């Protein structure tokens, strides 16, 4: 199989900002500001490196309903402080940089595997690895560890409160946004479908199907039966538009999406679905989730890449005489994506962003040394800037993350800025180069196996749905469950195929079989929709007809 290309042209292209970029940006500023300003007032800004561990948890879980967010954030805070505790204990027990780099590499691998298996979402393992790796090289005694971990836990509790506070005003905001996004993409697909004979393979359909699937998962993790049922009914409208686009009304879907983005009462679909809970909800619950130990298995090769790449990057940095090998370790940890091609993209983005970031740091250093208050305020501004920019492209966010990471080292005492810049540049280049070599060296042949399993799942789900369509009197709940199961399997197949296509050193992929399976699945989905009678209103209906 020919190796995938390693592109350069589009790696640095800017995308549209995330719809909710301001939420993590504002949350992390508030979460970081209070502890840092208190420590500044007490004259103990040197302790801010510990409170930052808890404060940075405010970056996570903003796309989740508040009930799920509470659980996920609690897990992130515990995971962050657990990694911090391990790092601080190691730092207090040994001064051997060789041992500390090994501990950091193992922690980074564990964090990567857990974040991928639990689908934590951005910023995933990168922040966890940054905190634990940097903490390995902090001067520490065993007696100081409990107090420093307590500081992180306290700041983490504050971050939890900050992230949960918006729920007082919009308790169903995340699930409404997810449903609105799914409706919008379904409408965009339906607009294009009639003029594109290859629409079932298009990027617009894949994006819309993934958005609908993600919205189902979001809605099913939310509380509130009345709201949840209303959103489920709307998601069924989006699914029907994907399966039978010619029979849908994109303007009507967009109108409902606009209504969802505010605080007005939920729009109610004018369909003939029963008032009881949609059978699609049962289907989504029936899918379930495998135990964590089973979900970790497919990510073992990526974890091995992470451990090897981080260790080699740290040791290479030590060999070059750099005083902070954890920067090279974190650079390597940040690279690893679903396949080698995406890892290459991240390596290029990381290098470009970090090199630009050190220039920003050089420009800001004189300002931050006017007073420690200026240092705190500049770091807050960089926190906000990083979250405002990183959704457009990783390298653009790194332009703010890099100077912030460098300035954090000055919380305890001012550093030699020239040396900081030199070491950061060296560690960035070393970490990116060594980390990418490790990605190539550690093959991921399981990607092909996962694609085979995903193909089999789609074919079996399609067969079940086709049998029900052909039955004289299929049970509505069973037919809906079969349709939802096939739609979910199709989303997983696309994601698995894309990941496998960018992986190196594996057997030839069954590309024709994938195309055939996708085409057959779409025909079955359309037949299922027609068998159920879940047609949308006629296409000549206007959006104004459904306005309240």
């Amino acid at each position: 199989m020919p190796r995938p290309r390693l592109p350069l042209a589009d790696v640095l292209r800017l995308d549209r900002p995330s719809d909710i970029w301001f939420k993590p940006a504002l949350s992390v500023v508030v979460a970081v500001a209070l502890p840092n300003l208190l420590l500044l007032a007490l004259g103990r800004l040197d302790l801010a490196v510990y409170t930052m561990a808890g404060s940075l948890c405010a970056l996570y879980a903003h796309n989740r309903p508040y009930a799920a967010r509470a659980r996920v954030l609690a897990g992130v805070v515990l995971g962050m402080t657990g990694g911090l505790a391990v790092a601080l204990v190691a730092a207090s027990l040994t001064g051997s940089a060789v041992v500390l780099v090994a501990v950091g590499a193992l922690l980074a691998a564990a964090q990567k595997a857990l974040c991928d298996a639990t689908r934590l979402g951005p910023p995933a393992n990168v922040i966890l690895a940054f905190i634990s790796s940097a903490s390995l090289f902090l001067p520490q005694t065993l007696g100081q560890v409990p107090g420093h971990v307590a500081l992180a836990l306290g700041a983490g509790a504050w971050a939890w409160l900050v992230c949960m506070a918006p729920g007082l005003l919009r308790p169903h905001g995340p699930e409404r946004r997810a449903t609105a996004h799914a409706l919008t993409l379904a409408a965009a697909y339906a607009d294009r479908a009639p003029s594109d004979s290859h629409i079932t393979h298009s990027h617009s359909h894949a994006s819309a199907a993934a958005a609908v699937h993600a919205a189902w998962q979001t809605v099913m993790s939310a509380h509130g039966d009345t709201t949840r049922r209303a959103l489920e009914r709307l998601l069924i409208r989006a699914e029907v538009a994907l399966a039978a686009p010619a029979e849908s009304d994109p303007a009507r879907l967009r109108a409902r999406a606009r209504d969802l983005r505010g605080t007005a009462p939920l729009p109610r679909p004018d369909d003939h679905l029963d008032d009881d809970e949609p059978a699609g909800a049962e289907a989504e619950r029936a899918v379930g989730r495998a135990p964590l130990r089973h979900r970790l298995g497919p990510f073992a090769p990526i974890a091995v890449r992470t451990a090897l790449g981080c260790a080699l990057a740290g040791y290479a940095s030590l060999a070059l005489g750099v005083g902070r090998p954890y920067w090279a370790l974190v650079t390597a940890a940040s690279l690893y994506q679903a396949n080698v091609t995406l890892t290459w993209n991240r390596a290029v983005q990381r290098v470009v962003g970090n090199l630009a970031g050190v220039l920003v740091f050089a420009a800001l250093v004189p300002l931050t040394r006017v007073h420690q208050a200026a240092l705190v305020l500049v770091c807050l501004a960089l926190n906000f800037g990083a979250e405002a920019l990183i959704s457009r492209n990783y390298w653009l966010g790194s332009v703010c993350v890099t100077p912030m990471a460098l300035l954090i080292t000055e919380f305890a005492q001012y550093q030699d800025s020239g040396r900081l810049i030199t070491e950061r540049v060296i560690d960035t280049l070393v970490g990116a180069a060594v980390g990418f070599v490790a990605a190539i060296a550690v093959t991921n042949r399981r990607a092909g196996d996962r694609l085979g399993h995903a193909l089999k799942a789609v074919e079996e789900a399609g067969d079940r749905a086709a049998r029900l369509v052909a039955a004289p009197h299929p049970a509505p709940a069973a037919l809906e469950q079969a349709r939802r199961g096939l739609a979910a399997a199709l989303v997983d197949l696309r994601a698995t195929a894309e990941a496998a296509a960018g992986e190196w050193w594996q057997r030839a992929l069954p590309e024709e079989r994938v195309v055939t399976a996708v085409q057959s699945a779409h025909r079955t989905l359309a037949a299922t929709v027609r068998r159920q009678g879940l047609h949308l209103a006629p296409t000549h209906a206007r959006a104004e007809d459904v306005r309240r």
Side-chain angles (χ1 to χ4, degrees):
M1 179 180 178
R3 291 192 299 271
R5 292 173 58 250
L6 298 181
L8 282 174
D10 295 331
V11 173
L12 304 180
R13 179 176 54 83
L14 299 184
D15 297 321
R16 293 184 60 184
S18 164
D19 290 341
I20 59 168
W21 66 266
F22 55 92
K23 292 182 177 293
L26 292 174
S27 296
V28 75
V29 167
V30 175
V32 170
L34 181 62
N36 281 8
L37 292 175
L38 285 175
L39 292 173
L40 178 64
L42 295 172
R44 292 304 309 270
L45 197 57
D46 57 301
L47 297 176
V49 292
Y50 306 107
T51 61
M52 287 287 287
S55 298
L56 291 176
C57 295
L59 293 171
Y60 291 86
H62 287 276
N63 62 331
R64 298 177 187 261
Y66 288 100
R69 184 181 303 188
R71 297 190 298 270
V72 171
L73 277 176
V76 170
V77 171
L78 292 176
M80 183 76 82
T81 53
L84 174 69
V86 171
L88 293 181
V89 168
S92 66
L93 294 178
T94 180
S96 170
V98 173
V99 173
L100 294 176
V101 166
V103 172
L106 292 175
L107 279 173
Q111 290 158 345
K112 175 64 176 174
L114 285 170
C115 289
D116 285 353
T118 58
R119 298 180 181 178
L120 178 60
N125 64 302
V126 177
I127 300 298
L128 302 172
F130 167 68
I131 292 296
S132 59
S133 300
S135 302
L136 286 166
F137 294 89
L138 293 174
Q140 200 75 201
T141 65
L142 200 57
Q144 293 174 317
V145 172
H148 292 161
V149 172
L151 285 172
L153 274 175
W158 168 240
W160 187 94
L161 291 172
V162 169
C163 291
M164 295 299 296
L168 299 175
L169 299 176
R170 293 194 68 200
H172 301 291
E175 53 266 41
R176 288 175 66 127
R177 282 194 303 272
T179 304
H181 184 58
L183 290 169
T184 300
L185 292 188
Y189 166 74
D191 271 337
R192 297 187 183 96
S195 61
D196 188 348
S197 59
H198 301 286
I199 196 66
T200 57
H201 311 296
S202 71
H203 176 72
S204 64
H205 188 281
S207 299
V212 171
H213 184 60
W216 268 111
Q217 293 178 319
T218 298
V219 169
M220 293 314 303
S221 64
H223 282 176
D225 289 341
T226 302
T227 298
R228 189 174 63 205
R229 272 199 289 269
L231 295 176
E232 288 168 358
R233 292 162 68 89
L234 290 170
L235 284 176
I236 289 177
R237 299 298 93 202
E239 285 192 323
V240 172
L242 292 181
E247 301 168 21
S248 69
D249 181 6
R252 190 180 294 265
L253 294 175
R254 290 192 181 92
R256 290 180 178 136
R258 286 193 296 271
D259 290 339
L260 282 172
R261 295 186 185 278
T263 56
L266 288 169
R268 181 179 178 83
D270 51 341
D271 52 33
H272 300 291
L273 291 174
D274 295 333
D275 288 333
D276 295 332
E277 184 176 30
E282 295 180 10
E284 194 64 34
R285 290 194 188 98
V287 173
R289 300 196 73 180
L292 180 59
R293 66 180 182 276
H294 294 156
R295 284 181 275 151
L296 284 170
F299 300 103
I302 306 298
V304 173
R305 283 178 179 174
T306 304
L308 179 64
C310 290
L312 293 179
Y315 293 140
S317 177
L318 286 175
L320 293 173
V322 177
R324 295 176 177 82
Y326 63 86
W327 280 342
L329 191 156
V330 173
T331 295
S334 70
L335 301 185
Y336 300 113
Q337 306 299 302
N339 56 48
V340 171
T341 303
L342 294 177
T343 298
W344 162 261
N345 293 351
R346 182 55 55 88
V348 173
Q349 293 163 352
R350 179 85 181 189
V351 169
V352 172
N354 281 16
L355 294 182
V358 296
L359 298 179
V360 175
F361 169 74
L364 291 175
V365 164
L367 174 62
T368 61
R369 293 187 177 176
V370 171
H371 192 276
Q372 280 194 318
L375 175 60
V376 171
L377 294 175
V378 168
C379 283
L380 290 176
L382 290 171
N383 266 299
F384 184 88
E387 294 310 306
L389 298 174
I390 204 163
S391 65
R392 303 206 64 185
N393 194 300
Y394 182 82
W395 76 265
L396 197 59
S398 295
V399 174
C400 290
V401 172
T402 300
M404 180 179 67
L406 291 169
L407 290 172
I408 288 174
T409 65
E410 303 210 325
F411 281 170
Q413 63 181 22
Y414 292 136
Q415 308 283 323
D416 180 345
S417 57
R419 183 179 179 183
L420 280 178
I421 290 173
T422 301
E423 291 184 347
R424 185 58 188 247
V425 170
I426 292 173
D427 277 345
T428 294
L429 297 176
V430 168
V434 174
F436 184 68
V437 169
I440 296 175
V442 179
T443 60
N444 184 13
R445 295 185 179 274
R446 292 192 184 186
D449 295 337
R450 291 182 67 196
L451 179 58
H453 296 322
L455 262 172
K456 184 178 179 182
V458 167
E459 291 166 351
E460 291 177 349
D463 289 342
R464 284 195 297 272
R467 285 196 298 271
L468 286 170
V469 169
H473 303 290
L479 194 57
E480 175 63 16
Q481 184 171 329
R483 184 174 66 83
R484 285 290 308 123
L486 178 55
L490 196 55
V491 170
D492 183 62
L493 174 60
R494 283 198 183 95
T496 305
E498 288 178 3
E503 194 58 68
W504 286 26
W505 317 122
Q506 63 178 320
R507 60 183 180 274
L509 299 177
E511 296 177 4
E512 291 185 6
R513 186 180 166 196
V514 170
V515 172
T516 300
V518 170
Q519 291 174 333
S520 176
H522 280 290
R523 287 193 295 268
T524 303
L525 284 172
T528 307
V529 165
R530 295 186 178 94
R531 187 72 168 85
Q532 289 177 286
L534 292 177
H535 302 297
L536 292 174
T539 55
H540 62 267
R542 299 187 309 168
E544 289 81 357
D545 295 336
V546 297
R547 292 302 190 115
R548 292 182 304 279

